[in-house]
Amino acid sequence: MYIDHFGMRELPFTLTPNTRFFLQLPTHQEALNLLLVALGGGDGFIKVVGEVGTGKTMLCRTLLNALDKESCITAYIPNPYLSPEALRRNFALEIGIENALAIADFELVNRINQRLVEIAKDGLYTVLIVDEAQAMPEETIEALRLLTNLETESEKLFQVVLFGQPELDQLLSRPSLRQLLQRITFSCRLNTLPVAAVSHYLEQRASRAGYAGLSLFSSAAAKLIAKASGGVPRLVNILAHKSLMSAYGRGDSTIKKAHVIKAIEDTEGVDVPLMSGIAKLLLGSVIMTSSVCGMLYWATMRGLI
C-alpha cells in the first residue's frame, strides 16, 4: 500500500475502531469526560446517541480502556439483539460467573446479585456497556431495567451505559419504557465534524500513523473531504484512504483536490459538492493533467519509456 510512500508506520484511516486514533476533538472528548464523571458519581443509566459513522464504537472502546481496571469491573455487550435470558447470561459471564450457561434462569438473577455484592464488598464498582443499543428488543430492555433494581441500601450494584443510533431515542420514548427513560441521568449526542475539525482530524490521524512531514492534505482537499462526507468520521476515513491511494498511484506526496475527486467518484453514496462552471473547468484541467502525469510516472517506473 502507500505506507512507505508517505513514511508511515501503519494505515491511518482504517474503519476498524483503533483507540490510539481517538478523536481529540471537543465533541468526542467532552462526551468521554462526561461518561467518566457520571460513572465516577455512581449514576445509574447513561445514554450516548449518534448517527451512523460518528464514532460511537470508538468512544465505547476508549471508555473501556479509560476505566480503571483496579477499581472497576466492566461488562461489554457489542451485539444486544438478545432475548432477556440471553442478556442475563451474557452479563453473568462478563462479571465472572463461569458456569452461567448451566444455571437455571430463575436462579441466575440470584447468582448475579450475589456476584455484584461480592464485587462491591471488594471496593469495586461494576459497569455494563451496551453498544448498538437501538437493536435491543423491548422485552430485553425491560429485563435490563429490572436487573438494575439490584442494589444495596445505599447504592446501585451496577451502572449502565447505552450507545446507540437515534433510533434508540425513539425506542425509549415508548410509553411502555417510560420507567427506564426516567432513570437516564445523563445523555449526550455525538455530532458530525465541522469543516475546520475535519482538517485537524486528518492531520492528527496521519501524524499518529507516523507521518512526519508538513500538512499531508492541502486546504482545498481537506475542505472537499469535509463537504463530501458531511463531517461523518467514517466517510472521512473512507475518502481520505482512497485519496492517499490515488496520490500514491500518481507518485504525489501531497493530497490535492484532484485526488479527493477520484476518491469521491469511487465511493457509493457520496457525491462531489456542486461547483461553479469555471471551477469545474479548472478542476477538470487539473485532473486531466494529473492523470497524464500519473500514466507517465508508472510507464517510466516500469521501463516502458
Side-chain angles (χ1 to χ4, degrees):
M1 296 291 286
Y2 51 71
I3 293 178
D4 291 338
H5 179 74
F6 291 106
M8 298 177 179
R9 296 184 301 272
E10 58 185 312
L11 294 172
F13 299 106
T14 61
L15 297 184
T16 302
N18 184 339
T19 56
R20 288 204 314 102
F21 292 103
F22 177 67
L23 293 159
Q24 297 294 329
L25 297 169
T27 53
H28 291 69
Q29 189 62 53
E30 287 172 9
L32 178 60
N33 293 341
L34 172 65
L35 288 167
L36 292 173
V37 170
L39 291 173
D43 292 287
F45 272 89
I46 306 164
K47 174 169 63 71
V48 180
V49 170
E51 277 289 355
V52 174
T54 51
K56 295 184 301 299
T57 299
M58 172 74 85
L59 176 59
C60 178
R61 295 188 180 181
T62 302
L63 174 63
L64 283 167
N65 290 342
L67 291 171
D68 186 357
K69 302 301 186 294
E70 295 184 0
S71 61
C72 176
I73 299 295
T74 56
Y76 174 52
I77 298 181
N79 179 14
Y81 188 67
L82 303 167
S83 68
E85 180 182 345
L87 173 73
R88 289 188 287 269
R89 295 192 185 281
N90 274 268
F91 180 48
L93 288 170
E94 286 287 305
I95 61 175
I97 303 176
E98 296 181 356
N99 61 337
L101 298 179
I103 300 173
D105 190 46
F106 67 89
E107 290 283 351
L108 190 58
V109 174
N110 288 333
R111 185 65 190 91
I112 289 174
N113 186 63
Q114 292 171 10
R115 175 58 182 152
L116 291 172
V117 169
E118 290 171 2
I119 293 172
K121 285 182 177 179
D122 289 337
L124 308 176
Y125 65 99
T126 303
V127 177
L128 169 61
I129 298 176
V130 182
D131 201 2
E132 302 295 347
Q134 78 283 345
M136 296 179 74
E138 185 173 329
E139 62 272 18
T140 304
I141 294 180
E142 177 62 11
L144 176 58
R145 183 188 70 82
L146 292 174
L147 267 182
T148 60
N149 287 336
L150 301 175
E151 57 189 359
T152 65
E153 292 182 356
S154 59
E155 61 184 353
K156 294 286 186 183
L157 286 174
F158 73 101
Q159 300 160 270
V160 181
V161 183
L162 301 175
F163 286 86
Q165 297 171 19
E167 290 81 0
L168 177 60
D169 285 333
Q170 299 172 20
L171 179 61
L172 296 178
S173 67
R174 295 178 185 176
S176 56
L177 295 176
R178 62 187 182 279
Q179 292 189 61
L180 187 147
L181 185 62
Q182 291 174 358
R183 294 190 182 186
I184 295 176
T185 52
F186 285 95
S187 63
C188 58
R189 182 173 294 271
L190 297 183
N191 298 315
T192 54
L193 307 178
V195 173
V198 170
S199 179
H200 176 69
Y201 172 79
L202 291 169
E203 297 301 335
Q204 173 189 289
R205 291 193 69 124
S207 176
R208 292 195 177 185
Y211 180 72
L214 299 175
S215 295
L216 179 58
F217 292 81
S218 70
S219 176
K223 287 180 180 178
L224 184 54
I225 289 175
K227 291 180 179 178
S229 67
V232 176
R234 183 178 296 166
L235 291 178
V236 171
N237 282 2
I238 291 172
L239 294 179
H241 173 64
K242 290 182 177 180
S243 297
L244 286 167
M245 291 180 66
S246 176
Y248 166 66
R250 295 168 179 173
D252 297 333
S253 58
T254 303
I255 309 306
K256 304 285 179 53
K257 209 168 183 178
H259 304 129
V260 180
I261 290 288
K262 294 298 293 182
I264 294 171
E265 291 175 345
D266 188 57
T267 304
E268 292 187 12
V270 179
D271 297 315
V272 178
L274 293 176
M275 296 180 290
S276 67
I278 295 177
K280 285 183 179 179
L281 180 63
L282 292 175
L283 182 59
S285 175
V286 171
I287 292 175
M288 182 176 294
T289 302
S290 180
S291 297
V292 171
C293 290
M295 292 172 63
L296 290 174
Y297 171 79
W298 281 109
T300 304
M301 292 293 291
R302 294 176 181 177
L304 299 178
I305 294 180

